[in-house]
Amino acid sequence: MASTTLDQVWVQTSPTRTARPLSCSGALLPLPLPPPQVLAMPPSLYCVIREGNKADKFPQKSLWEFRITGIDEVAGYLRDSVRRDMVWDGTSFFVDTEKRAVILRPEVRRDEQPADACRRAFSDLCLKNRGRFNNCFDKWLSKPADRREFHPIHVTEPAWQDLSIPLPARGIFGIITVGVHLNMYSVREVDGRELVDRIWVSHRARGENVCYSGMIDQVVAGGMDPTDRVDDLLAPGVTLKREAEEEAGLILDLGTKNMTSSCCCGQRKTIGTVEDAPAIAFYDCKGREAGRGNEGHLEPGVRFVYDLKLKDPTFQPRSHERGIERFEALTVDEVKRWLRERRWKPNCGLVMLDFLVRKNLITEADEERFGDIATELRRSLPFKFSQEGFPFLAPWE
């Protein structure tokens, strides 16, 4: 969603040259002093908040709850256009117009678990709606059954932790997404103080059918799988360990929080220690940059955030995944400029903005909407899963 503030040009103009008047004697009269030049503040970084929360244009009362029989909490929210255009007849889904809810009543077969029945019901629904919603289900349906990707449905009830939904249906049903992001940065000393020097970012791969093609991301970021657990509780640290190795070839020791990387000689070298940061929350409605098949999909999201200060500022991470074009170290000013230019993937931009706030790289003195930014990075979401403190997650001690 375009921002009028974002499109402002921040310039300093020169005074127009004028002819100097003459006195009666023919002498040049002194010119009046020009008014002092005042530089406007750069465009507000609040544009990042707006870009990551485009679902704000849909009031909560306009959405339809998605519920699953046997679970006493809302699992997702659907736009009214989805409720209207979806083919529900002949499926396991019931539309309750009085309660404005779509309810999945899975038919559990003999020797079948409820989660398996839900997966089957979702798959049947996708098949009935082939060719609808920008053909978002078609590519998924064209794959062999064992290669079709599913996304976890995050609820708090212990007996339902293995629920999942077809990946292209996740945003259709407005399922909450949960992931981890790692900010990697180097510092320099100035007058005995440590200042953030460079921030490493990831350039996403480019392509016509690539989600968020060419946009900016954290070096390590990814979604939480239901199997990322410690003592039967969901564990973001396990997700971070897996994603760090897959995307950047980094190895995280969950006991010490030390992150290591392979040297050219094959030995491992500690590059820093991971630090916890507060989680952020957002509620987006995806735009065209997410890919045509995702456009208009709702994404309420929680992101668990971690920081990694590099012990050796000369260290350079290397991409280990095809979906990453390259890594690059940016200055703080470059990061801010690219945020204003909307070059960041929206939820990654929120994580980066949060880092700038926490490291005092933006303050009330240089950001007119600083208070709004600090508040809305951790907005309330209408899901039990996002309740304060996340008591059902494994602590990382």
Side-chain angles (χ1 to χ4, degrees):
M1 181 166 59
S3 163
T4 54
T5 307
L6 193 64
D7 295 332
Q8 293 176 357
V9 180
W10 187 39
V11 295
Q12 179 179 6
T13 58
S14 301
T16 305
R17 293 184 178 274
T18 56
R20 293 182 64 180
L22 299 175
S23 67
C24 295
S25 64
L28 290 172
L29 293 175
L31 284 173
L33 291 175
Q37 290 183 323
V38 178
L39 287 178
M41 293 177 70
S44 172
L45 282 166
Y46 187 76
C47 62
V48 181
I49 298 289
R50 285 198 302 265
E51 194 65 22
N53 291 279
K54 295 186 289 296
D56 285 348
K57 61 186 176 183
F58 299 106
Q60 185 68 30
K61 63 182 180 180
S62 73
L63 302 177
W64 289 65
E65 293 182 351
F66 169 55
R67 291 181 173 271
I68 301 173
T69 299
I71 302 178
D72 190 25
E73 59 188 279
V74 178
Y77 287 91
L78 296 82
R79 292 173 56 182
D80 186 60
S81 59
V82 170
R83 188 273 316 168
R84 183 187 64 239
D85 297 339
M86 186 78 76
V87 176
W88 304 105
D89 292 341
T91 72
S92 299
F93 295 82
F94 170 73
V95 179
D96 187 331
T97 54
E98 183 177 338
K99 295 182 178 179
R100 290 186 65 85
V102 174
I103 304 166
L104 171 55
R105 296 172 175 172
E107 180 185 344
V108 183
R109 295 173 179 171
R110 193 173 186 179
D111 299 327
E112 186 180 46
Q113 296 297 318
D116 296 326
C118 289
R119 283 167 65 108
R120 181 166 45 79
F122 277 121
S123 297
D124 291 344
L125 184 72
C126 291
L127 188 60
K128 273 190 172 290
N129 287 273
R130 185 193 291 268
R132 294 173 177 267
F133 306 106
N134 291 329
N135 303 315
C136 69
F137 303 134
D138 295 39
K139 185 177 179 181
W140 185 84
L141 288 167
S142 68
K143 296 180 180 180
D146 60 347
R147 292 186 55 204
R148 294 174 183 173
E149 294 181 88
F150 284 78
H151 182 273
I153 299 176
H154 293 287
V155 293
T156 61
E157 297 190 21
W160 293 86
Q161 293 297 305
D162 53 352
L163 284 173
S164 60
I165 186 172
L167 187 60
R170 176 186 67 185
I172 292 285
F173 281 83
I175 302 299
I176 192 169
T177 67
V178 182
V180 300
H181 288 241
L182 178 71
N183 298 303
M184 181 183 294
Y185 66 103
S186 61
V187 299
R188 57 189 170 89
E189 277 204 12
V190 176
D191 298 330
R193 291 190 307 143
E194 255 189 9
L195 300 179
V196 174
D197 184 29
R198 301 278 170 164
I199 300 169
W200 281 95
V201 302
S202 165
H203 292 259
R204 297 172 65 87
R206 300 174 185 271
E208 185 178 347
N209 298 316
V210 177
C211 184
Y212 297 107
S213 169
M215 300 191 83
I216 308 303
D217 202 333
Q218 273 75 37
V219 169
V220 175
M224 180 180 290
D225 289 342
T227 55
D228 295 341
R229 294 178 177 273
V230 171
D231 295 332
D232 221 23
L233 292 174
L234 287 171
V238 175
T239 308
L240 180 62
K241 176 180 174 64
R242 186 189 69 252
E243 293 292 335
E245 186 168 4
E246 289 178 358
E247 298 188 349
L250 303 175
I251 305 299
L252 173 63
D253 185 310
L254 291 175
T256 64
K257 295 189 180 180
N258 287 338
M259 190 78 81
T260 60
S261 175
S262 294
C263 301
C264 55
C265 59
Q267 294 182 339
R268 304 211 67 83
K269 176 182 178 182
T270 300
I271 62 171
T273 302
V274 171
E275 298 179 347
D276 300 65
I280 70 160
F282 59 91
Y283 208 153
D284 199 16
C285 178
K286 294 185 177 181
R288 178 60 65 90
E289 70 277 2
R292 190 167 183 271
N294 294 311
E295 187 176 7
H297 289 199
L298 297 180
E299 184 181 13
V302 172
R303 295 296 181 268
F304 297 103
V305 182
Y306 303 94
D307 297 337
L308 178 63
K309 180 176 70 176
L310 296 172
K311 294 175 65 175
D312 179 1
T314 65
F315 171 77
Q316 298 185 15
R318 293 174 294 170
S319 169
H320 283 238
E321 194 174 83
R322 284 194 309 171
I324 299 172
E325 185 180 88
R326 71 184 190 279
F327 294 144
E328 182 179 7
L330 302 180
T331 66
V332 173
D333 285 342
E334 287 172 328
V335 165
K336 291 180 180 180
R337 186 174 75 247
W338 287 8
L339 285 171
R340 292 188 177 98
E341 293 174 358
R342 293 180 294 166
R343 295 179 61 179
W344 284 76
K345 180 185 174 188
N347 61 52
C348 300
L350 292 170
V351 173
M352 189 73 260
L353 182 61
D354 173 63
F355 178 85
L356 297 178
V357 170
R358 289 187 290 104
K359 299 298 180 182
N360 293 316
L361 298 173
I362 60 171
T363 64
E364 291 180 277
D366 53 29
E367 171 53 61
E368 61 184 358
R369 299 198 64 175
F370 182 85
D372 294 332
I373 289 173
T375 300
E376 295 188 42
L377 282 167
R378 293 174 182 86
R379 59 173 49 206
S380 174
L381 295 177
F383 295 89
K384 284 183 70 176
F385 184 89
S386 62
Q387 61 188 285
E388 188 174 354
F390 303 100
F392 41 84
L393 294 180
W396 191 1
E397 299 174 349

